Amino acid sequence: GQAAPAQGQSTPTLQQQSSSKPSQIRPVSLAHLYWHFLVFQNHLDTKAADLGAHGKNGRLMHNHLQKKLGFSDADYAAIRTSSVRLTAKVKVLDAKAAAIQKAGASSSSHYQLKALTVQREADINSEIAYLKQNLPPDKIKAFEAFLTQLFSPTNAVFRPSLPVGKPAPTAVQK
């Protein structure tokens, strides 16, 4: 497996099992749901700030997940803080993993990548602990239920790719 996804975002939220049935999926751990959510929130906040820097309103993007959760600004502050911190840590680990992979396979590269994976997991767990210390238990319960629902297989959108260069079916061409 990979040590860390590019920019903390490329690991799919639903991991396909290697079998003769490529559509078979298995759920991701709760810790990895936290990870994906926090990186996504940071992405939304960054995009919203970019919009604001260009004179556009990014508030809807900035507050989208907070509104879905129904959290106050005070409750959501810990999530935003954690999202910034985790995204920064994962980017550093991703850069290290990319450098190791670029250097090519060696007797130690596998172990170096494994160590980066262990560090990423520790960073994720550290942020979960931070959130559990800074949010009331009822908010943690609501947040974890939201994570599970948001990233559930029933919410995943699978888009089959159409062969390149072939016309769309007649029904689609109308």
Side-chain angles (χ1 to χ4, degrees), residues 116-133:
L116 292 176
T117 300
V118 169
Q119 182 60 52
R120 182 192 65 208
E121 298 303 313
D123 291 342
I124 293 166
N125 288 325
S126 174
E127 293 307 325
I128 293 170
Y130 168 81
L131 290 172
K132 287 183 175 183
Q133 290 172 350

Side-chain angles (χ1 to χ4, degrees), residues 25-151:
I25 52 176
R26 61 186 164 96
V28 175
S29 69
L30 184 60
H32 279 208
L33 296 180
Y34 270 87
W35 168 31
H36 292 291
F37 181 91
L38 292 171
V39 169
F40 184 52
Q41 182 60 60
N42 183 262
H43 171 76
L44 292 176
D45 288 343
T46 301
K47 292 294 181 191
D50 288 347
L51 287 171
H54 290 94
K56 297 180 181 171
N57 186 351
R59 295 295 300 163
L60 286 175
M61 187 176 291
H62 179 74
N63 292 327
H64 177 71
L65 295 173
Q66 178 182 343
K67 282 188 165 205
K68 280 185 162 258
L69 272 162
F71 280 22
S72 68
D73 288 346
D75 289 331
Y76 212 72
I79 292 172
R80 290 192 197 284
T81 298
S82 185
S83 77
V84 169
R85 193 169 39 231
L86 183 60
T87 300
K89 289 177 181 178
V90 168
K91 282 183 179 181
V92 169
L93 295 174
D94 288 347
K96 289 178 181 180
I100 292 166
Q101 290 171 333
K102 186 177 181 181
S106 71
S107 59
S108 65
S109 61
H110 174 74
Y111 298 105
Q112 291 171 330
L113 292 172
K114 281 272 194 206
L116 292 176
T117 300
V118 169
Q119 182 60 52
R120 182 192 65 208
E121 298 303 313
D123 291 342
I124 293 166
N125 288 325
S126 174
E127 293 307 325
I128 293 170
Y130 168 81
L131 290 172
K132 287 183 175 183
Q133 290 172 350
N134 288 281
L135 288 172
D138 63 318
K139 296 293 182 185
I140 288 294
K141 186 175 180 179
F143 182 59
E144 289 181 352
F146 180 78
L147 289 177
T148 303
Q149 186 274 329
L150 178 68
F151 292 117

